[in-house]
Amino acid sequence: MVSIRESIHGEWSSRWAFILAATGSAVGLGNIWKFPYITGENGGGAFVLVYLACILVIGVPIMMAEIMLGRRGRQSPINTMRDLSIEAGHSTHWQYLGWLGVIAGFLILSYYSVIAGWAIAYIMRASSGVFTDASVEVIKNEFVSLVGDPEKLIAWHTLFMVMTMVVVARGVQGGLEKAVKFLMPSLFIILILLVGYSMQNGEFNMAVKFLFTPDFEALFYKTDAQGNQYMSWNAVLIAMGHAFFTLSLGMGAIMVYGSYLPAGTSIAKTTFMIALADTVVALLAGLAIFPIVFANNLEPGSGPGLIFNTLPFAFGHMDGGIIFGTLFFILLTFAAWSSSISLIEPAVAWLVENVKISRAKAAILMGLACWGMGLLTVFSFNIWSDLKPLEDIKIFKDATIFDLLDYLTANIMLPLGGLLIAIFSVWIMSREASMEELDMGDRIGFKLWRFLVRYITPIAVIIVFLNVLGIVTFK
Ligand code: PFF
């Protein structure tokens, strides 16, 4: 039954190709752009600790579950979920889990592409030397003038969307496998060089303290616009949501990549490698950025512009800064690129399977739709920056459309997808089927996985959800 399923989209050429592609999906804007700024907004150390705990006890087991489901189903997440639920003798309603993922991926890509566009714009700026010896103010102005100009943002967003769809249209193996092999190690080397620079020139000790000394007050207590302090568990939801986002979980990206995984590869080992690489990159990004933030009295909680306001300063004041700066933004673009293709792959795979159109046509269609959706994000940085659609709700008081899209996808849709994946893998799918697919025998590792996915993940996700909805409160 199961072993005869084959993917109509082909397979990765090897286990390593899968590891690189999945790491390419995981390592992206989430690690280098988002992790530092949300850590800054949520007070540092305690947030990092909660995030690391989420990676270990929720992220790793869910990633194993997603790869397992993908490889067993060998199709897009929608069809995989349908077939696996039939196999388990349950309702095919589980295919809606696949739909949830496809929609989440679509929404994420719509804003991801706009932010990746900033990275491309910064390749130009860094290489032309605008940052050389520039003051913090000049650098801040560069950023403000970029995001304040919808035409520029649309142009870069368009370029990035086209780049994404070109790769997706060609199929993942040919171009991507080769590209990630070179890009991932290069990104790693550049990050280490930047950490070296920050060690020598920034307030490295302050940054280490900020990132690794847990201050739970800073995590739980927020101050509103009137200066009143209030307690909120929202930061825990953000940390958990980010664990899903950074590992590309909860929406079928890893599931669809898993569906191209050759049989016989150890899912547990590959998952550990991917999660470790992803975490190391995020921490290195923090260690590269915060020393510069503290040395220049920049605001760690300054939001999405954080890396665009800090790193250019470092590049502007170091030997070879033009080259390093340019290289950094090229690599950031590539990191985003290898993630963006995985965001839309579930939708494209489904179109190819069900509507029977070619991959190229499917990619163009999805690209156009997603590009249009991206305009909402473009405008929320300029002409609609005062538009706060949910300002009557305390935590969304200052949230723009972009903030809301980010919150909805990363903090609600991905954890919800993860919760359903967990429930399906251990409560619906038979124990035998998961044991066969994970191929770990009935040993401690398999038992631990089942325990985490059966109890810990669902309970953690549900508690955090209920708390944020105000149904359960902790004091
Ligand atoms: N993991 C990517 C990042 O950290 O930038 C973002 C992402 C890619 C999220 C693919 C979800 C996904 F399915």
Side-chain angles (χ1 to χ4, degrees):
M1 34 159 234
V2 178
S3 44
I4 54 166
R5 280 204 191 104
E6 255 184 42
S7 168
I8 61 163
H9 310 279
E11 269 191 5
W12 301 111
S13 62
S14 69
R15 174 169 95 98
W16 280 105
F18 169 73
I19 292 175
L20 283 170
T23 305
S25 167
V27 172
L29 295 175
N31 306 61
I32 303 166
W33 161 74
K34 194 172 179 192
F35 171 72
Y37 96 76
I38 57 174
T39 299
E41 285 179 336
N42 292 289
F47 181 83
V48 174
L49 201 65
V50 175
Y51 158 77
L52 291 176
C54 289
I55 294 277
L56 206 62
V57 298
I58 303 178
V60 167
I62 295 292
M63 186 181 276
M64 286 173 62
E66 267 203 42
I67 300 175
M68 168 189 89
L69 297 179
R71 188 169 67 183
R72 202 164 177 85
R74 293 260 184 240
Q75 296 158 82
S76 69
I78 297 172
N79 293 333
T80 284
M81 291 314 298
R82 186 202 54 217
D83 283 11
L84 294 185
S85 51
I86 294 173
E87 183 183 307
H90 272 258
S91 151
T92 52
H93 286 335
W94 280 100
Q95 65 181 299
Y96 294 114
L97 168 55
W99 281 106
L100 176 76
V102 165
I103 296 168
F106 177 83
L107 293 177
I108 296 175
L109 182 59
S110 79
Y111 67 79
Y112 205 83
S113 166
V114 177
I115 312 290
W118 300 356
I120 309 181
Y122 268 64
I123 299 176
M124 305 303 157
R125 283 166 179 66
S127 60
S128 66
V130 238
F131 302 134
T132 309
D133 293 327
S135 66
V136 172
E137 277 66 41
V138 170
I139 284 168
K140 274 192 180 162
N141 284 339
E142 274 296 325
F143 183 68
V144 172
S145 74
L146 171 68
V147 299
D149 183 343
E151 280 174 25
K152 279 190 200 153
L153 291 192
I154 291 176
W156 296 122
H157 162 54
T158 309
L159 175 61
F160 186 79
M161 197 59 89
V162 170
M163 285 161 55
T164 300
M165 294 311 159
V166 166
V167 177
V168 176
R170 292 179 170 204
V172 186
Q173 287 96 329
L176 201 81
E177 266 191 37
K178 276 189 223 128
V180 284
K181 247 179 234 165
F182 162 74
L183 293 168
M184 288 295 133
S186 320
L187 177 69
F188 202 70
I189 292 168
I190 294 280
L191 261 182
I192 298 211
L193 288 174
L194 280 176
V195 174
Y197 169 84
S198 288
M199 252 177 185
Q200 286 180 341
N201 301 291
E203 291 287 347
F204 197 73
N205 291 341
M206 268 175 88
V208 171
K209 200 163 157 232
F210 179 73
L211 284 172
F212 300 112
T213 313
D215 170 2
F216 284 95
E217 289 239 324
L219 184 71
F220 289 119
Y221 287 92
K222 304 274 166 230
T223 314
D224 65 17
Q226 283 77 43
N228 303 318
Q229 271 208 335
Y230 63 97
M231 194 198 155
S232 161
W233 271 59
N234 198 32
V236 175
L237 176 67
I238 296 177
M240 187 179 71
H242 188 63
F244 281 98
F245 185 87
T246 191
L247 292 178
S248 305
L249 298 178
M251 58 138 285
I254 291 294
M255 199 188 289
V256 83
Y257 274 18
S259 75
Y260 312 144
L261 182 65
T265 305
S266 159
I267 291 179
K269 275 192 213 144
T270 44
T271 297
F272 270 108
M273 281 190 239
I274 299 161
L276 185 70
D278 187 76
T279 307
V280 168
V281 171
L283 295 177
L284 285 178
L287 289 174
I289 290 157
F290 285 111
I292 302 169
V293 171
F294 292 126
N296 298 289
N297 292 322
L298 296 165
E299 180 46 58
S302 65
L306 186 67
I307 63 164
F308 296 93
N309 289 326
T310 51
L311 290 183
F313 184 83
F315 297 132
H317 291 82
M318 70 203 244
D319 292 337
I322 294 190
I323 294 178
F324 277 125
T326 310
L327 224 49
F328 175 81
F329 287 110
I330 290 177
L331 292 169
L332 183 60
T333 305
F334 280 120
W337 197 4
S338 59
S339 299
S340 64
I341 53 171
S342 72
L343 280 163
I344 207 65
E345 177 66 20
V348 169
W350 181 82
L351 277 175
V352 172
E353 286 163 14
N354 288 51
V355 189
K356 312 272 184 253
I357 50 176
S358 68
R359 216 167 216 285
K361 274 205 191 113
I364 293 171
L365 240 116
M366 291 312 301
L368 278 173
C370 209
W371 177 87
M373 185 76 200
L375 297 181
L376 294 184
T377 295
V378 165
F379 296 143
S380 65
F381 286 100
N382 35 70
I383 51 180
W384 292 345
S385 62
D386 290 330
L387 190 66
K388 311 280 157 70
L390 299 182
E391 62 186 341
D392 294 335
I393 303 174
K394 199 168 182 181
I395 52 169
F396 298 130
K397 229 174 130 344
D398 302 317
T400 60
I401 300 182
F402 157 71
D403 294 325
L404 292 175
L405 266 178
D406 175 29
Y407 194 93
L408 171 72
T409 50
N411 301 338
I412 298 175
M413 295 177 89
L414 298 186
L416 183 63
L419 171 67
L420 296 173
I421 286 167
I423 294 174
F424 186 89
S425 315
V426 288
W427 296 94
I428 306 292
M429 192 170 175
S430 72
R431 190 174 191 278
E432 291 65 41
S434 59
M435 191 154 69
E436 180 187 22
E437 203 57 57
L438 287 175
D439 198 19
M440 299 160 84
D442 192 9
R443 286 193 298 267
I444 177 89
F446 178 69
K447 289 187 172 128
L448 180 64
W449 172 79
R450 259 181 88 79
F451 174 75
L452 290 173
V453 176
R454 207 173 171 89
Y455 302 108
I456 303 301
T457 309
I459 292 172
V461 176
I462 290 171
I463 290 182
V464 184
F465 270 153
L466 292 180
N467 180 263
V468 174
L469 292 173
I471 299 170
V472 175
T473 46
F474 306 92
K475 277 272 167 180

